[in-house]
Amino acid sequence: MSSRPSNVLNASFPVDAFLPYMRDVSKCAQSLHELNLIWRLIESSARMNCPREAGAILPTMAATRARFHQLEEELVINLAREKLRNVHAALMTKSAYVIEIVVRNLFERTADVGFLATDGALCAFAAGLDADVHAMRQRLRAYRDKYTVYDQIIVLDLAGHVLVQLDQSQPVSRSDDALIARTLACDNYVETFRASDLCPGKRDALIYSRRLCHPETGAVVGVLCLCFAFEEEMARIFSTHRDPAGRSNMLLLDAGGSVIASADPGWMPLGTRVPVNHDATPRMMMSGGREYLVCTTGSAGYQGYPGPQGWQGQVMIPLDIAFGGVQASMLSGLDAGIADGLLVHARSFCPALFDIMGAADSTAETIRRVVWNGQVTSAQGAGSVSLKTVLEQISETGARSNTLFAESIHSLFDTVLAAGLHDAEYVTNLLVDLLDRNLYERANDCRWWALSPELQRLLAIPQPGAQDSAAMTHILATINGLYTVYACLFVYDRTGRIVASTGPGTDTMVDAATLQQVLALRSTQDYHVSPFAPSARYGNAPTYVYHAAIRNPLQASQILGGIGIVFDATPEFAAMLRGGIGDKPDTQAFFVDRRGTIIASTDPARPIGTTLDIDSALLALDNGESASRVVIDEGRYALLGCTVSHGYREFKVSDSYRADVIAVVLSSVGEVTRHAVAGIDVVAAFAPAGAQAEGPELATFFVGTALMAIAADQVREALPASRVAPISIGVGTGCGCLGIVPIAGTQPGMADDFVWVFDLAAVLSGTPSQQDSRSQVVVVRFGNRSIGLLVDQLHGVGRVAAQAVAGTPMVGQAIGNGLLVQQVFQANEGKLLIQMIDLAYLFKLLMAPAESAPEASSNVFALTDGSRHVHRINR
């Protein structure tokens, strides 16, 4: 159900260390402990006040109390474990996202500085071939207007003198920064993060530098520095992904564990050294005199770029508030059938929850069986007033225990469900952020490359020849080599004819609609994006194609043609989706448009171009809104999270381009089932204590939803159905025979007897019973013979109020008529029917085939268990 790794917490989980910080779990633990003490008092009371009558139930009571104590510990441990697991998993996810977003962003910067360093106009200026500083500053401004992530661009000569800088608010004339010499000696980019005289006033500057070469000789003539708006970018990341309540702090650390960016500098200032935790195991860590949960994630790199050396994403939350806060119940908003259906699959998404549910049900049925057997004993005249009092105490305390365990299991289920839904929603928030950030760069690239002086010059030639087309293709290939996210780059003239391209294509012309849009672009800041649709330049697969107008360098209002850049959508989007969901089992991710049409998918069964069947209300969410819910997806319960794209910087926000994308994550839980996890409604049927009741003493139980009864004096005891041993000797299976079950010997020191067990549901209706933890075997006797009857759940033992007894038998008049139910009683003011089973007829029906069989001449079968005891199978 959630993304939490199974090895986060092991069996030695130190619950006592974390329990003081989990107030709700501590309260539950205290209540469970008090119940445990009450069980001890009841057991002691029974031993003192009615040791003989309670002798048969005392061993079971002791075992039940011990099981309750074990269940109490397991429940508290697992409640605490799940709460810690959920908090820690959320911290791990967020810390990973911090560094992943940063590294993906900075990867683009390495490509930017590499391409801009090859700009002919820039290289000519650095070489002294062009001395127009104003014109060069205008060109740098045009670049920065498209790539708004830079707050400064500087060009220096070989000696460190500043030739031109974009931002003149803090002028720099010369630099002695060591990055200059390092860059001049390197044929690749240089990444620098520290204080620099190139950026006075900044505590730390993130600078990408590359050497500039003479456009004709190739000699190194200068250095280009792109200064990244680091503080602004980190503030955007933190505002988008930080806990809105501010209970945790999101950080970026250097290799030494010092804070280089903080979502809350007042809480954790820059330069603060904090503890790190790269392990999947949560642990308490001290920082500034306060205990924290800490998660730290290093960079996994992106497309070969490792990120700044040693940088790490980290999230910290104080332990004293980590598990607080009011969280709405997820279960309260669910349809009861869906909630029960999810619980059927508890083993898959939370084995601990599944085990506790089974143990709680088993323990509850044990208590019911203890009380039921005790009531049978009392009904047969073998019980004292003290025994009845003990049984009442057991019944009352059992009900309190069941209620408390049900509430605790509900809380555990709610915790697990909330974590899964929150995780699905948070992942989609990341996915749309990554998508918008990526496509922001594509809009920038096409506009900047359209300003290439060489492309402008070559396209301005009235009739470009093959050599001119080859020159343009070479430029495009150089760009494409630096920017690997493109499948193809192409240039076309004003008529739409494609004159240069880096990849094959069946088309030679740009379609008329696109050409019209490009020719209508008003400035170098404008661009056009094709709808997500098949493209001949992309093997007829669907993608986005970004276009910008190439203008006459001497007359900007004249458009010569355009440049198209084909985004390699299939692998790029798939990588985003896979990176978002990681290795979560049974989880798929999608990008869809407002109509639900799939743009990208990790599910082969739902490919690009098909429609994802989700609620139209989710498709209509506002930009930036997120939602999560439990849904039924293709016949399976699933946790769905979705977020609508909200743009990045000016992209899709203020640049007039709109193309909403919705990220969707579906985590499958299991197949929809009709078998809900629900108990039978055990309603009151007998006269209350002290009331006059003249009817017979009945031992009642459920077969399916029907309440059946047998005279209490004909019942020996009830046993758990798990004790039935399948065996087929002596009795056929045609009458619902399941096997045998051991019962206590009738004489002191005698070995156990065995009785045949029959499925009462199969006998009554021909449909076998669906056994579960509530199933019991009621051992009944008729004359000197006993058999066991498999029933679905025990009910109670008591008398029906006189006015509730039907005056005459309501079903059947004689044994000979072939009816098992000879009488029906009305109880609970006529709202409940109790069907009385005729044991004489039942024994005749079940035992006659065995007694008439040739091999059944004896009334007893011998059965050895490997010891010296010989057991009897009573027929």
Side-chain angles (χ1 to χ4, degrees), residues 252-261 271-274 312:
L252 186 66
L253 310 180
D254 63 16
S258 294
V259 177
I260 55 179
T272 304
R273 191 181 181 93
V274 293
Q312 309 161 89

Side-chain angles (χ1 to χ4, degrees), residues 735-752:
C735 291
C737 181
L738 299 174
I740 58 174
V741 68
I743 60 174
T746 56
Q747 299 297 327
M750 181 181 290
D752 287 349

Side-chain angles (χ1 to χ4, degrees), residues 86-342:
N86 294 342
V87 172
H88 187 74
L91 298 184
M92 285 200 301
T93 299
K94 291 186 177 184
S95 68
Y97 289 173
V98 171
I99 191 65
E100 181 175 0
I101 292 171
V102 168
V103 169
R104 282 173 175 264
N105 193 317
L106 299 187
F107 164 76
E108 299 285 351
R109 313 293 64 92
T110 65
D112 287 351
V113 74
F115 174 71
L116 190 57
T118 65
D119 182 74
L122 193 59
C123 290
F125 178 81
L129 303 179
D130 180 0
D132 191 341
V133 175
H134 177 72
M136 181 50 56
R137 185 172 291 118
Q138 288 295 106
R139 182 162 183 77
L140 295 181
R141 182 169 290 109
Y143 183 84
R144 200 276 307 275
D145 287 346
K146 294 162 184 60
Y147 298 87
T148 55
V149 295
Y150 300 111
D151 55 16
Q152 179 67 289
I153 303 176
I154 302 175
V155 179
L156 305 100
D157 65 14
L158 298 178
H161 296 99
V162 175
L163 300 177
V164 63
Q165 70 179 91
L166 177 61
D167 183 5
Q168 295 178 282
S169 62
Q170 292 183 308
V172 177
S173 60
R174 186 179 183 281
S175 173
D176 293 316
D177 197 306
L179 74 82
I180 298 173
R182 185 182 171 197
T183 304
L184 291 172
C186 178
D187 60 0
N188 205 338
Y189 70 88
V190 172
E191 186 176 61
T192 305
F193 181 75
R194 52 174 169 72
S196 172
D197 59 8
L198 289 167
C199 299
K202 282 192 174 184
R203 185 180 186 277
D204 293 300
L206 181 55
I207 302 172
Y208 288 84
S209 56
R210 188 146 183 170
R211 65 190 186 187
L212 297 169
C213 298
H214 196 289
E216 298 173 358
T217 66
V220 177
V221 293
V223 173
L224 168 67
C225 295
L226 299 181
C227 304
F228 183 63
F230 178 71
E231 297 87 352
E232 179 187 348
E233 178 59 20
M234 293 309 302
R236 288 178 182 272
I237 293 173
F238 293 147
S239 65
T240 302
H241 297 287
R242 189 190 179 195
D243 172 18
R247 295 163 62 247
S248 61
N249 200 11
M250 190 174 275
L251 308 169
L252 186 66
L253 310 180
D254 63 16
S258 294
V259 177
I260 55 179
S262 174
D264 190 342
W267 182 359
M268 293 181 183
L270 301 184
T272 304
R273 191 181 181 93
V274 293
V276 298
N277 178 25
H278 287 278
D279 294 341
T281 304
R283 57 172 59 92
M284 298 178 182
M285 306 191 83
M286 186 69 70
S287 178
R290 198 174 185 184
E291 288 182 315
Y292 287 85
L293 285 176
V294 180
C295 286
T296 315
T297 306
S299 171
Y302 177 66
Q303 295 200 4
Y305 168 65
Q309 185 176 4
W311 280 20
Q312 309 161 89
Q314 179 157 303
V315 182
M316 303 174 65
I317 187 168
L319 266 174
D320 56 322
I321 61 173
F323 310 102
V326 178
Q327 181 173 311
S329 170
M330 299 292 105
L331 290 174
S332 60
L334 280 184
D335 176 86
I338 291 180
D340 289 343
L342 287 174

Side-chain angles (χ1 to χ4, degrees), residues 454-642:
E454 279 300 295
L455 290 180
Q456 291 176 333
R457 182 186 66 80
L458 291 167
L459 201 58
I461 298 173
Q463 291 184 342
Q467 187 174 357
D468 301 320
S469 293
M472 284 189 278
T473 299
H474 176 72
I475 294 171
L476 297 179
T478 300
I479 297 171
N480 213 162
L482 292 170
Y483 293 81
T484 56
V485 296
Y486 298 110
C488 173
L489 280 66
F490 59 96
V491 170
Y492 48 94
D493 63 19
R494 187 175 177 80
T495 69
R497 182 174 63 92
I498 296 175
V499 297
S501 175
T502 62
T506 58
D507 57 337
T508 59
M509 298 288 293
V510 174
D511 66 274
T514 296
L515 182 63
Q516 182 180 4
Q517 291 285 342
V518 173
L519 295 178
L521 295 175
R522 293 174 297 176
S523 72
T524 59
Q525 285 298 102
D526 297 314
Y527 62 95
H528 168 70
V529 186
S530 69
F532 191 81
S535 170
R537 292 279 152 182
Y538 197 51
N540 291 320
T543 188
Y544 293 114
V545 181
Y546 289 76
H547 295 264
I550 297 178
R551 300 171 183 272
N552 189 322
L554 302 177
Q555 187 179 351
S557 60
Q558 181 186 4
I559 295 178
L560 304 173
I563 183 172
I565 59 178
V566 183
F567 182 55
D568 196 3
T570 301
E572 293 299 320
F573 283 159
M576 288 183 206
L577 296 177
R578 286 195 299 269
I581 61 176
D583 57 357
K584 298 181 182 72
D586 301 317
T587 300
Q588 304 294 343
F590 309 86
F591 285 133
V592 302
D593 63 19
R594 286 287 191 181
R595 297 169 298 176
T597 303
I598 295 175
I599 293 172
S601 168
T602 61
D603 185 358
R606 290 182 275 199
I608 297 170
T610 59
T611 300
L612 186 65
D613 184 18
I614 61 173
D615 189 344
S616 58
L618 298 177
L619 298 175
L621 290 171
D622 291 338
N623 292 100
E625 283 195 349
S626 300
S628 59
R629 61 182 61 173
V630 178
V631 298
I632 295 178
D633 174 56
E634 297 192 333
R636 297 177 68 84
Y637 299 110
L639 307 185
L640 179 148
C642 68

Side-chain angles (χ1 to χ4, degrees), residues 71-91:
L71 193 57
E72 168 197 340
E73 291 183 339
E74 291 174 357
L75 187 54
V76 171
I77 288 174
N78 280 287
L79 277 169
R81 178 186 283 118
E82 288 302 319
K83 283 186 173 290
L84 179 58
R85 193 194 310 269
N86 294 342
V87 172
H88 187 74
L91 298 184

Side-chain angles (χ1 to χ4, degrees), residues 688-735:
Q692 294 296 321
E694 300 175 2
E697 194 94 24
L698 303 180
T700 56
F701 46 83
F702 287 95
V703 178
T705 57
L707 186 58
M708 315 296 291
I710 291 175
D713 59 4
Q714 294 178 305
V715 175
R716 292 186 63 173
E717 63 178 322
L719 300 168
S722 58
R723 293 189 187 178
V724 176
I727 190 170
S728 59
I729 61 171
V731 176
T733 59
C735 291

